[in-house]
Amino acid sequence: MPALTPDAIRASTETLCDLTEYLREDPDLDKALALVEPLLDEYTGIPAQLGDTLRALARAVQDHPGTPHTAEAALLIAELRDAAWEQSDQHTLHYVLDDLRNLSAKAPSPTPECGRCR
């Protein structure tokens, strides 16, 4: 695995910005859902990964010898852990994608047909 750097993480967030811009440009729905799918994967998507990352950061801060053992530090660590659970709770968004695909499959064709073609 290549070394993690702030620039590598920024590249990931820039990719998300690119995706957001793409989604704002009236994309093909099937392609849009396919592009978002990895982000909302139940186990490896952003909600699960960000939750795990925040928990790991909270643990790293708590275990770091330079972190003061104060009420303020404890509160900040607790806020990270709370945010981690809130993010992890969003793991069910992958079900929304499934439901959107089902809706899309049931939608009538946007191209009107002539009377003889029906």
Side-chain angles (χ1 to χ4, degrees), residues 56-70 73 77 81:
L57 177 59
R59 189 175 320 111
V61 170
Q62 182 177 13
D63 293 347
H64 190 275
T67 300
H69 295 286
T70 63
I77 291 166
R81 289 188 172 130

PDB file of all heavy atoms in Angstrom, residues 56-70 73 77 81:
ATOM      1  N   ALA A  56     -11.079   5.182  14.881  1.00  0.00           N
ATOM      2  CA  ALA A  56      -9.628   4.984  14.958  1.00  0.00           C
ATOM      3  C   ALA A  56      -8.926   6.279  15.360  1.00  0.00           C
ATOM      4  O   ALA A  56      -7.967   6.255  16.149  1.00  0.00           O
ATOM      5  CB  ALA A  56      -9.093   4.479  13.620  1.00  0.00           C
ATOM      6  N   LEU A  57      -9.402   7.412  14.846  1.00  0.00           N
ATOM      7  CA  LEU A  57      -8.829   8.699  15.236  1.00  0.00           C
ATOM      8  C   LEU A  57      -9.069   8.964  16.721  1.00  0.00           C
ATOM      9  O   LEU A  57      -8.148   9.396  17.439  1.00  0.00           O
ATOM     10  CB  LEU A  57      -9.414   9.832  14.394  1.00  0.00           C
ATOM     11  CG  LEU A  57      -8.945  11.242  14.765  1.00  0.00           C
ATOM     12  CD1 LEU A  57      -7.428  11.376  14.642  1.00  0.00           C
ATOM     13  CD2 LEU A  57      -9.668  12.269  13.896  1.00  0.00           C
ATOM     14  N   ALA A  58     -10.260   8.675  17.193  1.00  0.00           N
ATOM     15  CA  ALA A  58     -10.555   8.865  18.616  1.00  0.00           C
ATOM     16  C   ALA A  58      -9.621   8.020  19.474  1.00  0.00           C
ATOM     17  O   ALA A  58      -9.081   8.494  20.482  1.00  0.00           O
ATOM     18  CB  ALA A  58     -12.020   8.512  18.906  1.00  0.00           C
ATOM     19  N   ARG A  59      -9.401   6.780  19.057  1.00  0.00           N
ATOM     20  CA  ARG A  59      -8.500   5.889  19.802  1.00  0.00           C
ATOM     21  C   ARG A  59      -7.067   6.408  19.760  1.00  0.00           C
ATOM     22  O   ARG A  59      -6.355   6.415  20.775  1.00  0.00           O
ATOM     23  CB  ARG A  59      -8.568   4.475  19.223  1.00  0.00           C
ATOM     24  CG  ARG A  59      -7.834   3.448  20.059  1.00  0.00           C
ATOM     25  CD  ARG A  59      -8.000   2.013  19.533  1.00  0.00           C
ATOM     26  NE  ARG A  59      -9.348   1.717  19.073  1.00  0.00           N
ATOM     27  CZ  ARG A  59      -9.697   1.517  17.783  1.00  0.00           C
ATOM     28  NH1 ARG A  59      -8.793   1.576  16.828  1.00  0.00           N
ATOM     29  NH2 ARG A  59     -10.937   1.247  17.458  1.00  0.00           N
ATOM     30  N   ALA A  60      -6.631   6.883  18.581  1.00  0.00           N
ATOM     31  CA  ALA A  60      -5.261   7.399  18.451  1.00  0.00           C
ATOM     32  C   ALA A  60      -5.052   8.628  19.328  1.00  0.00           C
ATOM     33  O   ALA A  60      -4.011   8.758  19.984  1.00  0.00           O
ATOM     34  CB  ALA A  60      -4.967   7.733  16.987  1.00  0.00           C
ATOM     35  N   VAL A  61      -6.040   9.521  19.350  1.00  0.00           N
ATOM     36  CA  VAL A  61      -5.937  10.718  20.190  1.00  0.00           C
ATOM     37  C   VAL A  61      -5.922  10.328  21.661  1.00  0.00           C
ATOM     38  O   VAL A  61      -5.099  10.816  22.449  1.00  0.00           O
ATOM     39  CB  VAL A  61      -7.100  11.705  19.899  1.00  0.00           C
ATOM     40  CG1 VAL A  61      -7.153  12.818  20.927  1.00  0.00           C
ATOM     41  CG2 VAL A  61      -6.969  12.273  18.488  1.00  0.00           C
ATOM     42  N   GLN A  62      -6.814   9.422  22.044  1.00  0.00           N
ATOM     43  CA  GLN A  62      -6.900   9.008  23.446  1.00  0.00           C
ATOM     44  C   GLN A  62      -5.618   8.324  23.909  1.00  0.00           C
ATOM     45  O   GLN A  62      -5.156   8.566  25.030  1.00  0.00           O
ATOM     46  CB  GLN A  62      -8.079   8.058  23.639  1.00  0.00           C
ATOM     47  CG  GLN A  62      -8.263   7.620  25.072  1.00  0.00           C
ATOM     48  CD  GLN A  62      -9.489   6.734  25.233  1.00  0.00           C
ATOM     49  OE1 GLN A  62     -10.062   6.257  24.256  1.00  0.00           O
ATOM     50  NE2 GLN A  62      -9.898   6.527  26.457  1.00  0.00           N
ATOM     51  N   ASP A  63      -5.028   7.505  23.049  1.00  0.00           N
ATOM     52  CA  ASP A  63      -3.843   6.740  23.437  1.00  0.00           C
ATOM     53  C   ASP A  63      -2.530   7.510  23.276  1.00  0.00           C
ATOM     54  O   ASP A  63      -1.491   7.059  23.755  1.00  0.00           O
ATOM     55  CB  ASP A  63      -3.752   5.445  22.618  1.00  0.00           C
ATOM     56  CG  ASP A  63      -4.880   4.481  22.944  1.00  0.00           C
ATOM     57  OD1 ASP A  63      -5.584   4.693  23.964  1.00  0.00           O
ATOM     58  OD2 ASP A  63      -5.081   3.528  22.156  1.00  0.00           O
ATOM     59  N   HIS A  64      -2.580   8.655  22.619  1.00  0.00           N
ATOM     60  CA  HIS A  64      -1.357   9.417  22.384  1.00  0.00           C
ATOM     61  C   HIS A  64      -0.834   9.977  23.706  1.00  0.00           C
ATOM     62  O   HIS A  64      -1.588  10.568  24.487  1.00  0.00           O
ATOM     63  CB  HIS A  64      -1.618  10.560  21.405  1.00  0.00           C
ATOM     64  CG  HIS A  64      -0.369  11.211  20.939  1.00  0.00           C
ATOM     65  ND1 HIS A  64       0.247  12.215  21.646  1.00  0.00           N
ATOM     66  CD2 HIS A  64       0.403  10.974  19.842  1.00  0.00           C
ATOM     67  CE1 HIS A  64       1.328  12.599  20.996  1.00  0.00           C
ATOM     68  NE2 HIS A  64       1.446  11.853  19.893  1.00  0.00           N
ATOM     69  N   PRO A  65       0.458   9.797  23.990  1.00  0.00           N
ATOM     70  CA  PRO A  65       0.997  10.269  25.271  1.00  0.00           C
ATOM     71  C   PRO A  65       0.917  11.785  25.438  1.00  0.00           C
ATOM     72  O   PRO A  65       0.909  12.280  26.562  1.00  0.00           O
ATOM     73  CB  PRO A  65       2.454   9.798  25.259  1.00  0.00           C
ATOM     74  CG  PRO A  65       2.739   9.277  23.907  1.00  0.00           C
ATOM     75  CD  PRO A  65       1.457   9.108  23.178  1.00  0.00           C
ATOM     76  N   GLY A  66       0.818  12.543  24.363  1.00  0.00           N
ATOM     77  CA  GLY A  66       0.748  13.989  24.471  1.00  0.00           C
ATOM     78  C   GLY A  66      -0.656  14.531  24.697  1.00  0.00           C
ATOM     79  O   GLY A  66      -0.829  15.734  24.909  1.00  0.00           O
ATOM     80  N   THR A  67      -1.664  13.657  24.652  1.00  0.00           N
ATOM     81  CA  THR A  67      -3.036  14.107  24.869  1.00  0.00           C
ATOM     82  C   THR A  67      -3.273  14.291  26.364  1.00  0.00           C
ATOM     83  O   THR A  67      -3.086  13.353  27.149  1.00  0.00           O
ATOM     84  CB  THR A  67      -4.048  13.091  24.311  1.00  0.00           C
ATOM     85  OG1 THR A  67      -3.819  12.935  22.910  1.00  0.00           O
ATOM     86  CG2 THR A  67      -5.479  13.547  24.543  1.00  0.00           C
ATOM     87  N   PRO A  68      -3.668  15.490  26.762  1.00  0.00           N
ATOM     88  CA  PRO A  68      -3.935  15.708  28.194  1.00  0.00           C
ATOM     89  C   PRO A  68      -5.168  14.922  28.634  1.00  0.00           C
ATOM     90  O   PRO A  68      -6.107  14.738  27.865  1.00  0.00           O
ATOM     91  CB  PRO A  68      -4.177  17.220  28.290  1.00  0.00           C
ATOM     92  CG  PRO A  68      -4.571  17.646  26.926  1.00  0.00           C
ATOM     93  CD  PRO A  68      -3.927  16.684  25.964  1.00  0.00           C
ATOM     94  N   HIS A  69      -5.148  14.470  29.846  1.00  0.00           N
ATOM     95  CA  HIS A  69      -6.293  13.743  30.415  1.00  0.00           C
ATOM     96  C   HIS A  69      -7.182  14.753  31.119  1.00  0.00           C
ATOM     97  O   HIS A  69      -7.217  14.832  32.351  1.00  0.00           O
ATOM     98  CB  HIS A  69      -5.815  12.637  31.361  1.00  0.00           C
ATOM     99  CG  HIS A  69      -5.038  11.572  30.658  1.00  0.00           C
ATOM    100  ND1 HIS A  69      -5.629  10.630  29.857  1.00  0.00           N
ATOM    101  CD2 HIS A  69      -3.709  11.334  30.590  1.00  0.00           C
ATOM    102  CE1 HIS A  69      -4.710   9.839  29.336  1.00  0.00           C
ATOM    103  NE2 HIS A  69      -3.531  10.250  29.775  1.00  0.00           N
ATOM    104  N   THR A  70      -7.909  15.513  30.300  1.00  0.00           N
ATOM    105  CA  THR A  70      -8.786  16.553  30.836  1.00  0.00           C
ATOM    106  C   THR A  70     -10.215  16.273  30.397  1.00  0.00           C
ATOM    107  O   THR A  70     -10.463  15.463  29.486  1.00  0.00           O
ATOM    108  CB  THR A  70      -8.375  17.944  30.308  1.00  0.00           C
ATOM    109  OG1 THR A  70      -8.546  17.954  28.878  1.00  0.00           O
ATOM    110  CG2 THR A  70      -6.928  18.271  30.663  1.00  0.00           C
ATOM    111  N   ALA A  73     -10.587  17.167  26.669  1.00  0.00           N
ATOM    112  CA  ALA A  73     -10.094  16.124  25.763  1.00  0.00           C
ATOM    113  C   ALA A  73     -11.078  14.959  25.711  1.00  0.00           C
ATOM    114  O   ALA A  73     -11.377  14.438  24.630  1.00  0.00           O
ATOM    115  CB  ALA A  73      -8.716  15.645  26.204  1.00  0.00           C
ATOM    116  N   ILE A  77     -13.029  13.602  22.343  1.00  0.00           N
ATOM    117  CA  ILE A  77     -12.935  12.191  21.941  1.00  0.00           C
ATOM    118  C   ILE A  77     -14.331  11.574  21.869  1.00  0.00           C
ATOM    119  O   ILE A  77     -14.657  10.842  20.931  1.00  0.00           O
ATOM    120  CB  ILE A  77     -12.011  11.422  22.910  1.00  0.00           C
ATOM    121  CG1 ILE A  77     -10.571  11.904  22.712  1.00  0.00           C
ATOM    122  CG2 ILE A  77     -12.123   9.918  22.699  1.00  0.00           C
ATOM    123  CD1 ILE A  77      -9.614  11.477  23.806  1.00  0.00           C
ATOM    124  N   ARG A  81     -16.390   9.861  18.654  1.00  0.00           N
ATOM    125  CA  ARG A  81     -17.053   8.551  18.711  1.00  0.00           C
ATOM    126  C   ARG A  81     -18.534   8.657  18.379  1.00  0.00           C
ATOM    127  O   ARG A  81     -19.083   7.792  17.699  1.00  0.00           O
ATOM    128  CB  ARG A  81     -16.826   7.914  20.077  1.00  0.00           C
ATOM    129  CG  ARG A  81     -15.394   7.465  20.251  1.00  0.00           C
ATOM    130  CD  ARG A  81     -15.182   6.660  21.506  1.00  0.00           C
ATOM    131  NE  ARG A  81     -13.838   6.118  21.502  1.00  0.00           N
ATOM    132  CZ  ARG A  81     -12.991   6.214  22.503  1.00  0.00           C
ATOM    133  NH1 ARG A  81     -13.349   6.824  23.626  1.00  0.00           N
ATOM    134  NH2 ARG A  81     -11.786   5.697  22.410  1.00  0.00           N
TER     135      ARG A  81
END
